[in-house]
Amino acid sequence: MFEKDLLKDKVILVTGGGTGLGRSMGERFLELGAKLAIASRNVERLEKAAAEMSASSGGEVLPIGCDVRDPESVDAMVGTVFGHFGKVDVLLNNAAGNFISPTERLSSRAVDAVLGIVLHGTFYCTLAVGKRWIAAESGGTMLNIVTTYAETGSGYVVPSAAAKAGVLALTRSLAVEWAKYGIRMNAIAPGPFPTEGAWQRLLPSEELANRLIGRIPMGRVGDHAELANLAVFLISDRVSYVNGECVVIDGGEWLRGAGQFSDFECVTSEQWDAIATLVKGRKG
Ligand code: HXC
Ligand code: NAP
């Protein structure tokens, strides 16, 4: 789909890049010639992932421990990446925290746990990288991973919905404010893509997973490669006029939920025949 060297020598910083979708996107960037820094809390897991990713691609992967909820930890991590590679071309804000719960069961600490990672963490990383790009007059590209319910809201994941809506607002706001510095900012809103992190916390039973998958018009969950290719497309210089956009990749899931008549999937072919006879008979 892409030229072999599309991302040659690009330095890409992926938060939460040692697991799940962050790792899959990072692996695709490496295949296309990028150099990678991956940052998250669990250093042991991060270092193992970096070694495996580097071994399979031959590319450079720098693992750095960082808690994105802590602005000092973020600034130190970003300083290390700039120090090591001499530059950063792309920031991928991917780290997140989430779990399902009725909202009235949440403590204030539970709310803070999600808002801290998703909204504050994304903001701190954006500031730490953005300030350096502005000072160096280098420009750069940011990509933020949100969710489809950042637009619509969703019950049972309310701190995540509020935080991701904030990240979407951040994306659109800075796409305008920082365009003058050559900084481009977009978002991806994925539907369900199986990862251990998300499935454990959001779909802990087969029944819940099947219920969610049953909502998807295409009848299947997303493939990591599909998301990774979209991420490559959006960070590539070949689409440098795309700014402030949020691209949904969900097999049509959220639109189905929004369409008033879309649940009429349950009507059988015989019933449609009967309905047509009845309704046509109402002419005049
Ligand atoms: C209610 C919960 C809870 C739960 C934690 N808490 N889990 N409350 N239900 N399931 C409460 C705790 O009791 C505590 O409050 C507070 O939250 C903080 O909990 P900690 O365990 O100390 O938090 P922490 O170690 O910071 O861990 C953060 C986390 C955890 C978000 C809770 O799940 C995490 O580390 N997640 C990272 C990975 C992740 O979430 N990946 C999924 C991303 S998927 P009290 O008051 O008791 O002290 C995604 C979108 C998916 O974002 C869309 C799918 C289609
Ligand atoms: P995941 O594997 O659990 O990824 C979350 C990552 O965030 C982990 O690598 C985790 O690493 C890191 N992280 C969490 N808290 C952190 C903190 N305080 N500081 C630094 N890093 C932290 O889940 P995923 O499914 O791949 O999710 C990746 C992204 O896709 C998230 O933004 C998520 O909201 C989004 N998304 C996923 C889906 C889906 O279906 N999977 C759907 C929509 C959106 P550590 O534990 O090492 O810190």
Side-chain angles (χ1 to χ4, degrees), residues 117-215:
I117 304 170
V118 178
L119 183 54
H120 291 235
T122 301
F123 217 129
Y124 299 153
C125 292
T126 300
L127 274 179
V129 172
K131 284 180 183 184
R132 285 170 171 84
W133 283 347
I134 292 166
E137 298 182 7
S138 64
T141 297
M142 294 192 188
L143 182 63
N144 298 328
I145 305 301
V146 295
T147 55
T148 49
Y149 57 66
E151 286 276 11
T152 60
S154 172
Y156 305 102
V157 284
V158 174
S160 170
K164 293 285 193 184
V167 173
L168 188 54
L170 171 85
T171 308
R172 290 172 172 159
S173 305
L174 286 182
V176 174
E177 188 184 330
W178 282 359
K180 61 179 175 284
Y181 299 123
I183 297 174
R184 195 162 71 81
M185 184 150 336
N186 292 294
I188 293 179
F193 285 73
T195 65
E196 206 183 316
W199 254 234
Q200 271 176 356
R201 294 173 176 90
L202 298 158
L203 298 168
S205 76
E206 208 176 312
E207 190 199 338
L208 289 174
N210 287 340
R211 188 177 276 266
L212 192 85
I213 294 161
R215 290 164 43 89

Side-chain angles (χ1 to χ4, degrees), residues 65-131:
C66 171
D67 187 335
V68 296
R69 295 170 297 186
D70 172 4
E72 283 173 12
S73 167
V74 167
D75 205 58
M77 176 273 289
V78 169
T80 304
V81 183
F82 273 87
H84 181 86
F85 290 105
K87 64 166 186 170
V88 170
D89 298 292
V90 178
L91 168 64
L92 174 51
N93 279 309
N94 166 78
N98 198 2
F99 51 80
I100 45 167
S101 174
T103 308
E104 66 276 15
R105 291 187 181 211
L106 297 176
S107 67
S108 58
R109 279 173 44 82
V111 173
D112 290 349
V114 175
L115 284 169
I117 304 170
V118 178
L119 183 54
H120 291 235
T122 301
F123 217 129
Y124 299 153
C125 292
T126 300
L127 274 179
V129 172
K131 284 180 183 184

Side-chain angles (χ1 to χ4, degrees), residues 253-269:
E253 185 203 10
W254 90 265
L255 271 175
R256 169 161 182 190
Q260 206 163 35
F261 292 92
S262 298
D263 280 342
F264 284 18
E265 293 283 351
C266 60
V267 179
T268 64
S269 182

Side-chain angles (χ1 to χ4, degrees), residues 14-27:
V14 185
T15 65
T19 67
L21 300 180
R23 176 164 174 167
S24 296
M25 289 186 277
E27 285 173 341

